[in-house]
Amino acid sequence: DAGVIQSPRHEVTEMGQEVTLRCKPISGHNSLFWYRQTMMRGLELLIYFNNNVPIDDSGMPEDRFSAKMPNASFSTLKIQPSEPRDSAVYFCASSPFQEKLFFGSGTQLSVL
Amino acid sequence: AQKVTQAQTEISVVEKEDVTLDCVYETRDTTYYLFWYKQPPSGELVFLIRRNSFDEQNEISGRYSWNFQKSTSSFNFTITASQVVDSAVYFCALSGLSGTYKYIFGTGTRLKVLA
C-alpha cells in the first residue's frame, strides 16, 4: 500500500493566486481529514469527510478555503485567493472509522 | 466541547534519562479514543498508540509506556532511557462522538534528548 499521497510536496505562490492541494487516501479508508500545521497554532483540523461527505468544516478559516471529495480516492483543498498568512504545512490523513490516522507527507505552502 | 491539553511546550533531557509527557483531555463522551503521535524533525506524523476509553490498562512497548487514568482525564506517555532518536514533537489526540469523531490534537510537546 502506497499510503496517503499528497501533491505537491512544496508549493510557492504569490499572494492572490489560487492554490490547489491534492490528496489520495488509502484505499478502503472511509474518513479523510485535512489539517494545517503552523508554529503558532499547531495542528488545526480544517475539514473532515466521512464516506465522501463533509461532516465537520468548522475549522475552515474563511470563505477563501474550500474542500471537495468527489470520490473515495481523491480530495482537494483549494485556497482562492491565497494570502501570506496561509503559509503552513497542510496534511491530509485518512483512516478506517475511529481507527488511527494515516498521514500523508504534507504540502509545504509558501505564499509570498 | 472536546479539548486536549499538553502543558509542556518543550522538555530537554540528557540521554538515558526517563521522561514523561503529560496529556490531559476533556470530553463529555463515555466512549472515546486517545492517541499519541510522534513528529520527528523530518516532519512526518507517526502513530504510536490508540486507546479506547474502556481500556484503562497501562501499556508498554519497549522503552515506551502509557498511563491512562480516567479519574484524572490523563493519558501520559513515558520514555524510559531516552535516546537522541527520541527527539521529536509528540502529540496527544482525542476522538469521540461529541466532537463528531474528528481528531482533536494537543499543541504538542517538543522533546530534546541531548547526548
Side-chain angles (χ1 to χ4, degrees):
Chain A
D1 197 330
V4 176
I5 300 173
Q6 289 187 247
S7 63
R9 289 296 306 275
H10 303 275
E11 177 80 30
V12 181
T13 190
E14 292 187 349
M15 183 173 63
Q17 296 298 306
E18 178 178 296
V19 175
T20 299
L21 310 182
R22 296 172 176 80
C23 176
K24 177 179 170 56
I26 294 173
S27 177
H29 287 188
N30 56 359
S31 298
L32 183 140
F33 303 80
W34 282 100
Y35 284 89
R36 177 171 69 176
Q37 186 176 30
T38 61
M39 288 294 294
M40 291 298 295
R41 301 173 71 92
L43 265 171
E44 298 176 272
L45 177 67
L46 300 178
I47 187 169
Y48 149 45
F49 294 87
N50 198 42
N51 295 322
N52 312 338
V53 176
I55 302 299
D56 190 324
D57 65 355
S58 58
M60 295 287 263
E62 50 199 271
D63 291 345
R64 298 185 298 106
F65 285 69
S66 62
K68 294 182 180 179
M69 192 165 185
N71 56 60
S73 59
F74 184 65
S75 177
T76 59
L77 178 68
K78 186 175 293 186
I79 308 172
Q80 166 64 16
S82 58
E83 296 183 3
R85 60 192 168 118
D86 301 330
S87 298
V89 180
Y90 290 80
F91 286 101
C92 176
S94 71
S95 78
F97 186 68
Q98 284 301 283
E99 295 292 327
K100 66 180 182 181
L101 290 177
F102 292 77
F103 282 87
S105 299
T107 295
Q108 174 77 58
L109 174 64
S110 298
V111 183
L112 307 177
Chain B
Q2 295 190 323
K3 187 178 179 182
V4 175
T5 300
Q6 294 181 257
Q8 303 153 308
T9 304
E10 185 169 313
I11 301 174
S12 291
V13 298
V14 177
E15 207 170 19
K16 297 184 183 177
E17 285 186 2
D18 298 347
V19 58
T20 296
L21 309 182
D22 297 333
C23 173
V24 174
Y25 62 92
E26 295 176 28
T27 181
R28 62 173 185 266
D29 296 327
T30 54
T31 301
Y32 52 90
Y33 300 87
L34 296 164
F35 304 81
W36 276 94
Y37 284 82
K38 174 182 180 180
Q39 188 175 41
S42 53
E44 74 271 25
L45 283 148
V46 179
F47 167 81
L48 295 177
I49 190 171
R50 170 184 179 268
R51 177 55 51 87
N52 76 55
S53 53
F54 294 107
D55 182 2
E56 287 195 71
Q57 278 193 326
N58 290 334
E59 181 155 342
I60 298 174
S61 176
R63 296 183 298 106
Y64 294 172
S65 62
W66 290 269
N67 183 354
F68 176 30
Q69 292 196 341
K70 288 178 76 171
S71 60
T72 55
S73 297
S74 64
F75 186 41
N76 296 338
F77 173 32
T78 297
I79 302 174
T80 302
S82 59
Q83 300 176 0
V84 173
V85 294
D86 296 326
S87 297
V89 180
Y90 291 86
F91 292 94
C92 182
L94 165 70
S95 178
L97 175 62
S98 66
T100 64
Y101 291 113
K102 60 190 176 188
Y103 294 73
I104 304 298
F105 281 79
T107 51
T109 297
R110 180 176 300 277
L111 175 65
K112 294 184 177 180
V113 181
L114 309 173

